[in-house]
Amino acid sequence: MANQFSSSSSYVTIFFVTLQLLCTYSLFANGCYTSIISFGDSLADTGNLKRLASTPEEHSLHFFYPPYGESFFHMPTGRCSNGRLIIDFIAESIRLPLVHPFVGVKGMRHMMELRRGVNFAVAGATALDSAFHAARGVNNPMTNSSLRVQLGWFKHSLPSLCANVPACRHMIGNSLILMGEIGGNDYNHALIAGKSIDEVKTYVPLVIEAIVSAVNELIRLGAKTLLIPGNLPIGCSPVYLTKYYGSDMADYDNSTGCLIQLNKFSEHHNELLQTKLNEIREIHREVNIIYADYYNAAMQFFRSPNKYGFTNGALKACCGGGGPFNYNSSILCADPSSTVCARPDTYANWDGLHLTEAAYRIIYMSLFRGPYTMPQFNSMCPISMLHEIHGTSSSMWMSRLRVGAIEFFQERNMKSGVNGGSRG
Ligand SMILES: *[C@@H]1O[C@H](CO)[C@@H](O)[C@H](O)[C@H]1NC(C)=O
Ligand SMILES: *[C@@H]1O[C@H](CO)[C@@H](O)[C@H](O)[C@H]1NC(C)=O
Ligand SMILES: *[C@@H]1O[C@H](CO)[C@@H](O)[C@H](O)[C@H]1NC(C)=O
C-alpha cells in the first residue's frame, strides 16, 4: 500500500504546501485576527472535558481513549473525532496555534499562551443551563459547563489575558470569535431521553435567546467579528437513524436516507438563529456577524457521498458497536467490543454522533473557500490588501486553484482504497 501511493502522496504534499501558502497570503496574510476565542460543545472542544474529568467514572468517557485522535494526533486529545475539527482547520489557515483548551491552564506563563487563542468549548455542553434541563428530568451525563458557564470563565480570565479594559477591548476586537456550534445538545440529550420532537421544539427560541445573549455580551466587551454556526442535519446521524430504525419509508428523505422530521428541526433552529442574527446586525452595524451554514455544507456530502470520497456512504459510523449504522448506545466507539474502520477518510461519520476529520475538512473548505458563510468570510478582511500583494489577475487564478484543489482532493479520495476493517 505504502509504495503504491508514495509518489502520488509526495506530489499531494507539494501541491498542498504550495496551495496553503497561496491561500494563506490571498485570504489571511493581512493580519486580520491575532487570536481565536471559542465557545461551544464537542464539535469544537479541543480538550476541556478531558481536563475537567476528575473522578474515575468521568475518566471512563469513551472518547478519551484510542482510536479517538488516531488519524492526526496519534493519541486521544479529548477531541470527539479521529483527527482535527473545524476549529483546528480555521486556526491552521490563519496561522495561529491550534486553539488551546482553557481548563487546567495555571500560572502566568501558561496564561500567555492563551493570548493567541483560547477555547472554552466543552463536549456535551448545552446552550441552556443544566438547571433548565434538570427541571424537565434530563440530566446532562457529561458536563454542566453550559454556554453561560463558559462565558463566565472567559470574563474571569480576562485580567490574565489582557492588562486593562482598553487592552482587553483591543484584544477581543482583534479576535475571531467562534460562537458554537452550541445548542445541538439541548436537543440531543432531551430527544435521546425520550422527549417528543414537538416538546423539544419549544426549547428552540430559548436556545437561540441564550446564544444571542452571549453574542451581545461579547459585543459589549469589544467583539468585532463573530462566527456563529447553525446546527448540523441531525436526521443524518447514526444515533437517530438507529433510534428510529424501521420508521415508515415516508419518514426518510429518499435523496439522502436521512430522517426528514429531524432535519426539518435543525432547519427550524437555523432559520430562527439567522432571523435573530439579522436583528443584531441592524443594531451593531460595525460588528461582523457571520453565520456559518454547517447544515448545507454537510448536506453536500449527505446528498453525494461518493463525490466527496465517502465511498462507504455518509450515514454509517466508522467506529462503533455494530448494527445497520454501526451505532449501538451500549457499545460505543473505543469500548472493547467496538470496531473501527480501516479508512476513516472514506466515512463521513466517526462515532455515530460526530464526524470524521475528512468530513470536518469538507465543511471547513465549504465555509472558508466556498459560499457557506453569510456574509462570505473572506470579505471580512480588507480586499484591497489582497490586490496589493498579488494583483487582480493572480487573485482570480488563485480562486480557481482553490476550486481545483477541492476537486483534486475529492478525486484522490475516490481513487483510494475502500476497506472497512475491524480492530478486534
Ligand atoms: C451537574 O450539577 C449537578 C447539581 O449540582 C450535580 O449533581 C451533577 O453531578 C453535575 N454533573 C456533572 C456531569 O458535573
Ligand atoms: C422521492 O421522493 C419524492 C418526493 O417525496 C418523490 O416524488 C419521488 O418519487 C421519490 N423517489 C423515489 C425513488 O422514491
Ligand atoms: C446492541 O448491543 C447489545 C449487546 O451486544 C445487543 O443486545 C443489542 O441488540 C444491540 N442493539 C442494536 C440496536 O443493535
Side-chain angles (χ1 to χ4, degrees):
M1 282 292 267
N3 287 341
Q4 200 181 332
F5 289 110
S6 63
S7 70
S8 82
S9 76
S10 64
Y11 171 62
V12 168
T13 307
I14 293 165
F15 184 88
F16 274 96
V17 168
T18 311
L19 179 83
Q20 207 176 356
L21 285 171
L22 289 170
C23 288
T24 303
Y25 280 104
S26 64
L27 286 168
F28 304 115
N30 40 29
C32 287
Y33 309 107
T34 52
S35 175
I36 291 172
I37 301 170
S38 156
F39 303 88
D41 58 24
S42 57
L43 296 196
D45 186 352
T46 53
N48 282 314
L49 185 65
K50 193 169 192 285
R51 287 149 172 255
L52 277 170
S54 52
T55 70
E57 193 186 86
E58 285 165 342
H59 273 300
S60 76
L61 277 171
H62 62 110
F63 37 69
F64 303 160
Y65 293 91
Y68 282 87
E70 67 169 13
S71 302
F72 184 78
F73 302 99
H74 309 296
M75 60 173 188
T77 61
R79 286 172 178 78
C80 296
S81 184
N82 60 313
R84 286 164 291 183
L85 310 176
I86 296 167
I87 183 176
D88 297 314
F89 291 118
I90 295 174
E92 282 180 358
S93 74
I94 58 178
R95 297 273 172 207
L96 286 171
L98 295 185
V99 187
H100 209 285
F102 168 74
V103 173
V105 171
K106 289 193 183 72
M108 210 51 192
R109 202 165 61 86
H110 289 117
M111 271 294 184
M112 299 285 282
E113 287 172 17
L114 302 185
R115 292 185 181 185
R116 299 187 69 204
V118 52
N119 193 356
F120 298 93
V122 182
T126 50
L128 297 168
D129 286 337
S130 293
F132 171 89
H133 294 289
R136 285 155 186 80
V138 179
N139 286 309
N140 190 321
M142 285 191 274
T143 182
N144 288 332
S145 310
S146 65
L147 182 54
R148 203 168 57 86
V149 172
Q150 294 175 24
L151 207 58
W153 290 344
F154 173 58
K155 287 195 272 184
H156 278 108
S157 67
L158 278 177
S160 325
L161 293 173
C162 36
N164 49 42
V165 172
C168 287
R169 290 191 73 79
H170 189 257
M171 186 218 43
I172 298 168
N174 284 318
S175 298
L176 172 61
I177 297 177
L178 306 180
M179 175 48 67
E181 177 277 332
I182 186 78
N185 288 327
D186 295 76
Y187 312 136
N188 287 334
H189 294 164
L191 289 168
I192 290 164
K195 303 266 181 212
S196 71
I197 294 179
D198 281 343
E199 179 174 354
V200 178
K201 209 165 190 171
T202 64
Y203 303 174
V204 177
L206 305 169
V207 165
I208 304 292
E209 194 44 51
I211 298 170
V212 164
S213 145
V215 167
N216 281 327
E217 180 73 11
L218 287 160
I219 293 174
R220 202 181 61 74
L221 294 168
K224 289 274 178 276
T225 307
L226 297 105
L227 185 90
I228 303 119
N231 205 346
L232 285 166
I234 60 172
C236 304
S237 283
V239 170
Y240 291 111
L241 290 164
T242 304
K243 183 175 164 66
Y244 298 104
Y245 188 64
S247 293
D248 200 280
M249 282 310 287
D251 293 339
Y252 295 94
D253 174 351
N254 62 15
S255 70
T256 57
C258 303
L259 289 156
I260 293 170
Q261 217 193 345
L262 285 167
N263 277 358
K264 282 205 155 69
F265 185 97
S266 294
E267 288 185 275
H268 172 66
H269 166 97
N270 293 345
E271 276 159 22
L272 196 56
L273 177 60
Q274 290 180 80
T275 303
K276 292 292 170 186
L277 294 184
N278 279 333
E279 290 174 15
I280 301 177
R281 288 186 188 111
E282 283 296 308
I283 297 165
H284 300 284
R285 290 172 182 272
E286 77 292 357
V287 178
N288 298 314
I289 303 285
I290 309 165
Y291 174 69
D293 191 355
Y294 281 15
Y295 183 98
N296 286 301
M299 281 309 276
Q300 299 176 100
F301 55 74
F302 287 116
R303 289 202 186 94
S304 318
N306 277 306
K307 192 176 154 197
Y308 292 87
F310 299 130
T311 45
N312 282 297
L315 302 181
K316 192 172 174 178
C318 160
C319 184
F325 302 97
N326 196 24
Y327 178 79
N328 183 327
S329 58
S330 52
I331 308 170
L332 297 171
C333 175
D335 286 351
S337 50
S338 68
T339 61
V340 62
C341 67
R343 294 287 314 273
D345 59 343
T346 60
Y347 288 75
N349 194 284
W350 168 242
D351 63 359
L353 194 57
H354 306 105
L355 302 180
T356 55
E357 176 183 273
Y360 286 136
R361 184 199 294 273
I362 289 162
I363 295 175
Y364 158 76
M365 293 282 265
S366 304
L367 298 177
F368 294 98
R369 312 266 191 266
Y372 292 91
T373 49
M374 285 155 261
Q376 205 159 339
F377 184 79
N378 56 22
S379 68
M380 293 300 130
C381 296
I383 296 292
S384 56
M385 286 190 73
L386 230 161
H387 290 231
E388 274 166 36
I389 299 167
H390 297 290
T392 313
S393 58
S394 67
S395 299
M396 278 169 59
W397 175 77
M398 276 186 289
S399 63
R400 243 176 259 144
L401 182 61
R402 264 176 248 139
V403 173
I406 295 172
E407 284 165 4
F408 179 86
F409 188 75
Q410 290 159 4
E411 234 171 72
R412 186 182 67 95
N413 275 340
M414 281 168 70
K415 281 186 197 134
S416 40
V418 184
N419 284 325
S422 85
R423 199 170 49 102

